[in-house]
Amino acid sequence: MNIAKSVSLFQQAKTLMPGGVSSPVRAFRAVGGQPLFIDRGEGPYLIDVDGNRYIDYVLSWGPLILGHAQPQVVRALQEAAAKGSSFGAPSPLEIELAELIRTFIPRIEMMRFVNSGTEAVMSALRLARAYTGRDKVIKFVGNYHGHADMLLVKAGSGVATLGLPDSPGVPAATVSNTLLAHYNDLDSVEQLFDEHKGQIAAVIVEPVAGNMGMIPPLPAFLPGLRQLTSAHDALLVFDEVMTGFRVHPGGAQTLYAIQPDITTLGKVIGGGLPVGAYGGRREIMEMVAPAGPVYQAGTLSGNPLAMTAGIATLKQLQSPAAWEHFERVGSRLLAGLQDAARAAGVPIQVQRLGSMFGMFFSAEAVSDWDTASGADSRRFAAYFQQMLAQGVYLAPSQFESGFLSTVHTEVEIDQTVAAAANAFAHLATESAG
Ligand code: HOZ
């Protein structure tokens, strides 16, 4: 595969941007090789600057649930851009997107739009602290909630990919109120509530972990978190930036029938433009300024372009056909991967919920950070390169999730499974040799 133009652009980019990228995982550090520079996206495909074409399962790390350059989204954006890109004043589009979100997730009675998932989470936790009058927050090892200081401790995603348990530049005092529990382990949460009685404002969780690979919750985990937070007058914050509109039309909270107090969203609700939102019970949200005293603001928040892309995207997700499609192609992909791995004698763990999936090279079930990080990362890197060489673009880290779109058809799925069969066979030969 010729990637000469990407190679040359990467050299240039490294002189201008740290590591040559605008976000760390994109640099391919965990899988070797170098990032591809992308010219354009077309439906389920990415086309790089050298003209190579890939079936894309990253989809801009989740937002592009309708695929790249989806015609209705593009048309809506063109019309909106012609009317102005940002007003710094309310527009009817904010109401339209907020209504749509509330239709899908009724628990979000009120919301505030921001510009990223990171911003949504840091604002949600400020609100949770203000509402409860407490400072401490429980997060889970391997869960990732963006790069706000207080949450940059034992985080997943790029932090895990690069093997950085913490980040320099984060003051010890800032994370002193961040308590760590283990995903899928209620005892570890209960212990923290016992040790810090009356001091814990909230438990924040990725209801389906997506940033240490994809790991669904065990049956008792989310109900247990709801019960514990309620019993201790703490808030339950669901970070659905990744799972929102992915695992179920109503998010993980609907799939598992749990009512969080605050939900954070991002990715899909911006249809590929930068956006985030946090929302929840009216009584809590009315503490946000100017309705209440909790300050949070943003120049581009609620801008008409992001709102337009979000509206055009969510409207298309109202069709049951979209969700039937995810079930059909998603189960075909999973079964194909499982069969191919079994045939090659390569142990894998695969999971899927809606249009989100994950795969680990492990013979053991994966349920938390310890088991996720115990999976074979060298095998993952080799698999990634094999898939890329055959035109399949996966996230360049085993600590990320894969995503499907409404335009990934059986054709792309079957090509992917055939490529995976070759890759598994190659891995099996390598370990035999
Ligand atoms: N938070 C995203 C991954 N889980 C961002 C990755 C990127 O854009 O590089």
Side-chain angles (χ1 to χ4, degrees), residues 236-251:
L236 180 59
V237 181
F238 268 17
D239 180 346
E240 297 229 44
V241 169
M242 198 178 265
T243 53
F245 305 92
R246 278 279 173 200
V247 300
H248 184 280

Side-chain angles (χ1 to χ4, degrees), residues 334-353:
L334 231 71
L337 291 174
Q338 275 161 335
D339 290 349
R342 204 175 302 117
V346 173
I348 60 165
Q349 303 292 323
V350 272
Q351 308 271 10
R352 179 191 64 90
L353 288 168

